[in-house]
Amino acid sequence: MTDRTTYTTLGALRERGWTDAMVRDLLGEPDVQGRDPRRWSLAPVRLYLLARVEAVERTPEFARCAAASGSRSAAAEAGAERRRRAVLAAIRAEPIEVPRLPAAELERRAVRHRHLLGARGPGGVAAGALVRWQVSYLRHALSRYETLLDGLYGSTGRAEAERLLRRRLYEAIAAAYPSLARECLRRMGAER
């Protein structure tokens, strides 16, 4: 068995700043390749001799590759930031059209929506529940606006864009139905 203190894995190389292309071009084939005895996996474990890795890290070629990799990362981050700003601007500019329904129709749809979601309970409706159901129904009716979030992935401003969109939707519901404004404000406060 190999001594793992003298070898490093591909994951550890990535933590040290190596890219897959740098490993392929500068290190080539792994020094040891086999199955990980600690867990079952189809992918073989690739181990690189730590002394060889450290020797390559001292070369000017490694420094050039690392610098080029850093500039590509900066360009990718700049592109993600541009997408984030564009999506936030689109969310701010998009007019939100809330369906205008008579009070009785809104109540009927909200109750039906609640039952379609599988909520069952006693015959009566608790105080304030109908208002919550109406806001939930309208929020669901406006879910088409979530397509504005397309193009944002992971931590690239997605959470910020989702918060902005939810706030705009609740503000639009409150403006269209002043009787639901308190519940919309409660939900906006709870999401902070």
Side-chain angles (χ1 to χ4, degrees):
M1 183 153 166
T2 61
D3 179 12
R4 292 198 178 253
T5 59
T6 59
Y7 290 91
T8 186
T9 64
L10 184 59
L13 288 174
R14 287 182 183 134
E15 290 174 11
R16 293 174 72 118
W18 288 75
T19 64
D20 290 347
M22 290 168 61
V23 170
R24 181 190 65 236
D25 296 342
L26 300 177
L27 288 177
E29 292 298 314
D31 297 303
V32 177
Q33 187 167 332
R35 300 280 176 224
D36 189 344
R38 294 172 293 173
R39 62 178 171 244
W40 185 88
S41 174
L42 289 176
V45 174
R46 295 180 286 179
L47 298 175
Y48 298 87
L49 192 59
L50 190 56
R52 186 165 71 97
V53 169
E54 290 171 344
V56 171
E57 286 177 342
R58 290 188 292 269
T59 65
E61 188 176 5
F62 176 82
R64 278 194 305 276
C65 290
S69 171
S71 65
R72 281 192 299 272
S73 294
E77 288 176 15
E81 179 62 21
R82 277 192 306 277
R83 282 191 306 277
R84 183 188 73 81
R85 281 194 305 257
V87 168
L88 290 175
I91 291 171
R92 286 185 189 105
E94 184 72 23
I96 307 292
E97 297 176 19
V98 178
R100 307 286 179 146
L101 302 169
E105 178 65 14
L106 178 59
E107 287 178 13
R108 188 186 69 71
R109 288 186 185 192
V111 170
R112 185 170 185 272
H113 177 72
R114 180 73 174 175
H115 289 302
L116 287 174
L117 292 176
R120 300 277 185 240
V125 176
L130 189 55
V131 170
R132 290 191 304 274
W133 296 356
Q134 289 172 340
V135 172
S136 293
Y137 166 75
L138 291 168
R139 176 66 182 85
H140 177 75
L142 298 174
S143 62
R144 68 183 179 276
Y145 289 100
E146 291 178 9
T147 59
L148 294 170
L149 300 172
D150 291 349
L152 288 181
Y153 308 102
S155 63
T156 313
R158 174 122 188 153
E160 178 185 5
E162 287 175 349
R163 280 191 304 273
L164 175 62
L165 180 60
R166 278 191 304 266
R167 189 189 61 160
R168 293 241 16 250
L169 293 175
Y170 286 133
E171 287 172 350
I173 292 169
Y177 297 93
S179 62
L180 304 177
R182 178 177 283 158
E183 175 63 14
C184 291
L185 285 172
R186 185 191 69 78
R187 289 184 183 206
M188 285 188 286
E191 291 181 355
R192 287 186 185 159

